[in-house]
Structures are given as C-alpha cells and as structure tokens.
Amino acid sequence: ILMILMISIKRNLILANKWVCLSDSDRDYIKSLLKDDKKSKALSRKLDDADKRITEQSAKVKGRELQKWVCTRIAKLTNIPFDNKDDNCKIHSREMGQSGVDIILRDEALQKFPFSIECKSTESINLRDFIQQAKSNQKEGTDWMVVIRTKSISDVIVVISWDSFERLYRGEINV
C-alpha cells in the first residue's frame, strides 16, 4: 500500500524521494496495518524511534565534536596549530552555552580565515535561524559561515552568502 521505500526521520517519511509529514494518528494507523513479521516490526520500531529526542548532553557532545573537527580543518588549511586545551590558542572552540561565534579565531588565524563560524550538528535543518544566528554573532571585518553536519547528508556542508562566495572565488577573501 503506502510502504514503498519508507524511512522514518523525525516524524517525517520519505516515500520514493518525497517528504511526507504524518500526524500521530496517521502514524498509529500505519502501524496498525503492519503485519507481525520481521520487516513490519522493524518499520514500527523506526516509527517509534522518530519520536525519541536526543538528550541535551548528547546534543552538546555532538556539537563539541563538530566544533573541534572544524578547528582541526581550519588549522590544516592555515598551517596554524590547534590545541583546544590552550585558551590562548589562535584557533579555539568556544565552550557550549556561551554566546558568540562557535569557532574563535585570533590574530593570524583570523587574517588567514576571515569568517565568523556557527556550527550545527543536527537532524533538523533550519537555515533561516542558523543564518540569523551566524549574522548576529558576525565579527566586524569577517563574513558569516554556517557549518552543518547531519546524518541525512553524508558530507559536512558549508553555507555562506553568494557575495562571500563570489569574493572567495575571485580571491578577494584571503584564505
């Protein structure tokens, strides 16, 4: 019937590459139609798992890991060492819960990589909010950047404005 290529992701289903939002009653109805076999039980479990939320502590760990990954990548690009244990390091990951950019770049690091970076490790991508937060934390003389990691996209992605992209492409942003 309706079970062609169903994959449950946070209360949504992908049906042959199309997103469908289901209400709780829709999901309960689909579960009632499932047979008592192995595949049906697995699908039912996926529907149940879609309701589960990640703990705050787990979310912070995911965010911290992404920030450290970004710091390490910037260190490789700029040839500037990264040591998160050193609070005066030129590339530093901001502590969880503090306001401001997620990646602190100082001196030479900021000159070589002039971006104010917001990191998001999440399954719910809300670009408008992510960009608004990046812009509100943007340091003077830098361009905003959002780095996103999600299970549904295999690559870590970067979001910048088209203007920033053009200037980067023309070599006007020194990285």
Side-chain angles (χ1 to χ4, degrees), residues 3 5 13 20 33 38 44 53 57 61-62 82 84 95 101 104 120 125 132 136 138 147-148 161 164 170:
M3 292 172 235
L5 296 175
L13 296 176
V20 177
L33 296 174
K38 191 174 182 178
S44 181
R53 301 203 36 95
Q57 182 179 1
V61 168
K62 282 175 52 181
F82 163 62
N84 209 52
E95 295 298 319
V101 293
I104 300 167
K120 298 293 181 186
I125 298 176
Q132 184 178 9
S136 70
Q138 185 175 356
V147 180
I148 304 168
S161 71
S164 296
R170 289 192 301 255

Side-chain angles (χ1 to χ4, degrees), residues 53-133:
R53 301 203 36 95
I54 188 171
T55 66
E56 187 176 337
Q57 182 179 1
S58 294
K60 287 184 178 186
V61 168
K62 282 175 52 181
R64 194 176 309 113
E65 286 173 356
L66 177 59
Q67 285 180 211
K68 288 180 181 177
W69 183 87
V70 170
C71 287
T72 302
R73 297 302 288 253
I74 292 170
K76 286 180 184 177
L77 289 171
T78 61
N79 291 317
I80 297 172
F82 163 62
D83 178 6
N84 209 52
K85 293 180 178 112
D86 178 6
D87 287 341
N88 296 317
C89 185
K90 295 187 186 318
I91 301 171
H92 193 73
S93 173
R94 183 174 301 280
E95 295 298 319
M96 294 289 118
Q98 293 183 357
S99 62
V101 293
D102 288 337
I103 308 299
I104 300 167
L105 301 173
R106 295 182 182 98
D107 307 325
E108 181 185 5
L110 188 58
Q111 290 172 352
K112 287 185 170 185
F113 201 86
F115 291 95
S116 294
I117 305 164
E118 190 64 39
C119 297
K120 298 293 181 186
S121 184
T122 182
E123 294 310 307
S124 304
I125 298 176
N126 186 334
L127 277 180
R128 184 181 58 220
D129 288 351
F130 296 172
I131 291 168
Q132 184 178 9
Q133 184 177 3

Side-chain angles (χ1 to χ4, degrees), residues 11-22:
R11 308 179 72 84
N12 294 315
L13 296 176
I14 300 174
L15 302 174
N17 291 337
K18 298 204 183 217
W19 285 92
V20 177
C21 189
L22 299 175

